[in-house]
Amino acid sequence: MSHRKRVLVFLVALVAAYCGPSVGVALAEPGKITLDRPGDREFVRDEAHLLTPAEIAKITQIGDKLLTEKATPIIVVTIDKMANHGGEGMRIETFANLLFDQWAVGVAKVNGQDWNTGILLLVSKGDRKARIELGDHWRHDQDKLAQQIMSEQIVPRFKQGDFPGGILAGVEALDKMARGLTLPAPAHSSTGSTGGASGPPQWLVIVLGIVGIVTIISLIRSGSGGWAWIGWGLLFGLIGTILYQMLSNSSSNSSGGGYSGGGFDGGFSGGGGATGDW
């Protein structure tokens, strides 16, 4: 090799050694998840193609209503594998946490008050893992409920290959969690449908039956002037009290109502949530 070539090779090697690390950082961007954020009022990024347009529309309807009424977005993300999006060798907890903060899921403040109640549901089909990641406001207070939703609503359906059903059931249950309502019955105790309607409470059926029997006996013995109407008065009083409490609870949980912004407004994860696999 001539002297000129040796000099040229040396200069190339020197430039590569100087620029190489910075170029490598720019390409790999460690800690950055390569997923584009949805639009402000979009709630689904279905990269794994697990959902139909109708199912996405259903999730969007639930998410839009909750965001408006509670300033709380539920964002659903499905992917084939974390490794395809910068998560090679990464735990799903770390992946979800990074994605949550990168997208700024949730509303940081409402009317000047700290809020940050965003919710992320991540499903990595190829890794056979799912994660519910919660905004900082929730801290770890709702971890138990999140794990209940994961274990009772999502994973059982995923094990049966019903990914749309698991995701929809998970979103519906997370919506109830965000509103402070009772969670749906576990998937294995239902008939397989997602979020099916339940009948009247058993205690109400029993009370109505007793009052009905007493009324019939009173009418037979004393006619319309009997004492059974006292029972009906007490029953309607009880129902009125229950309705009043329900309305009061609904009113107390309606803070944040009328929010018209997007679901990515400065939120960040508090590290709480739940993980599941199948």
Side-chain angles (χ1 to χ4, degrees):
M1 182 180 295
S2 66
H3 176 70
R4 180 176 296 178
K5 287 185 177 178
R6 289 196 188 95
V7 172
L8 181 60
V9 169
F10 174 76
L11 290 175
V12 170
L14 185 64
V15 171
Y18 179 77
C19 298
S22 62
V23 171
V25 168
L27 291 174
E29 295 190 72
K32 181 176 176 61
I33 306 302
T34 55
L35 279 168
D36 292 333
R37 200 200 74 180
D40 283 343
R41 279 271 170 174
E42 295 177 359
F43 302 89
V44 180
R45 176 66 68 200
D46 186 23
E47 295 291 325
H49 306 293
L50 301 179
L51 301 166
T52 66
E55 290 157 350
I56 291 175
K58 176 65 174 175
I59 294 171
T60 299
Q61 181 184 28
I62 295 172
D64 190 75
K65 190 171 189 291
L66 181 65
L67 180 59
T68 299
E69 296 178 356
K70 303 287 288 181
T72 298
I74 299 176
I75 308 301
V76 174
V77 179
T78 75
I79 56 176
D80 288 319
K81 299 192 75 172
M82 290 183 284
N84 297 344
H85 302 281
E88 179 70 43
M90 197 176 285
R91 298 171 66 235
I92 194 167
E93 292 87 352
T94 304
F95 188 99
N97 188 283
L98 290 172
L99 183 62
F100 197 106
D101 291 351
Q102 185 176 307
W103 282 0
V105 176
V107 183
K109 291 184 179 295
V110 174
N111 297 327
Q113 296 183 352
D114 291 337
W115 208 256
N116 210 2
T117 56
I119 300 172
L120 173 69
L121 173 57
L122 170 68
V123 179
S124 182
K125 183 181 179 184
D127 296 310
R128 303 180 70 84
K129 291 184 180 297
R131 172 72 181 172
I132 296 170
E133 190 74 13
L134 301 177
D136 185 64
H137 170 83
W138 301 107
R139 300 190 182 278
H140 292 280
D141 297 343
Q142 302 296 331
D143 285 5
K144 186 176 180 181
L145 284 179
Q147 190 61 60
Q148 185 178 343
I149 291 170
M150 182 66 74
S151 302
E152 294 183 354
Q153 303 296 333
I154 299 175
V155 169
R157 291 177 170 89
F158 284 4
K159 286 182 176 178
Q160 297 173 355
D162 183 10
F163 289 97
I167 293 170
L168 276 172
V171 169
E172 289 171 343
L174 288 170
D175 176 78
K176 292 188 180 300
M177 185 192 81
R179 297 176 183 277
L181 302 176
T182 303
L183 297 184
H188 59 266
S189 68
S190 68
T191 57
S193 61
T194 58
S198 57
Q202 188 176 9
W203 66 266
L204 182 59
V205 175
I206 294 174
V207 170
L208 287 173
I210 293 174
V211 173
I213 293 172
V214 171
T215 300
I216 292 173
I217 295 174
S218 175
L219 288 173
I220 293 174
R221 289 186 172 180
S222 308
S224 59
W227 43 263
W229 303 112
I230 298 176
W232 281 103
L234 293 174
L235 177 62
F236 282 117
L238 176 62
I239 293 175
T241 300
I242 293 174
L243 289 175
Y244 174 77
Q245 291 179 342
M246 291 174 64
L247 290 173
S248 296
N249 291 336
S250 175
S251 176
S252 64
N253 289 327
S254 64
S255 299
Y259 180 75
S260 59
F264 308 92
D265 192 9
F268 54 90
S269 170
T275 300
D277 52 48
W278 60 96

